[in-house]
Amino acid sequence: MGMFDNLKDKATGAVDDHGDKVSEGLDKAGEFANEKTGGEHGDKIDKGTDFAKDRLDGLDGENDDIEDRNA
């Protein structure tokens, strides 16, 4: 098992166990970025946040860990 496989397994486990916290963290990061840009890129930041949530949630092959997606 390579280093990246190990990292993926750890990330998958973290999202499986703490999907709600991961979602909260991504939302807070998006809000912070939006504030720092003066709301100028809010739509792009929201799109990126949603993309990150989808990708992290799908690490285990199922979209079942992060429920608060604004699709």
Side-chain angles (χ1 to χ4, degrees):
M1 181 180 280
M3 178 179 73
F4 291 109
D5 291 329
N6 191 20
L7 288 173
K8 181 184 175 195
D9 289 344
K10 287 183 180 184
T12 300
V15 172
D16 283 344
D17 295 340
H18 307 288
D20 55 337
K21 300 288 185 193
V22 171
S23 180
E24 268 183 47
L26 288 169
D27 287 338
K28 286 183 181 182
E31 290 170 11
F32 178 78
N34 197 29
E35 287 175 18
K36 290 297 180 182
T37 61
E40 195 171 319
H41 304 287
D43 57 332
K44 292 179 181 136
I45 292 168
D46 289 343
K47 187 176 178 181
T49 301
D50 289 341
F51 180 79
K53 288 179 184 181
D54 286 340
R55 298 300 291 174
L56 285 170
D57 192 15
L59 282 174
D60 63 356
E62 298 178 18
N63 289 327
D64 62 347
D65 302 311
I66 298 177
E67 299 205 14
D68 184 28
R69 286 191 297 237
N70 297 326

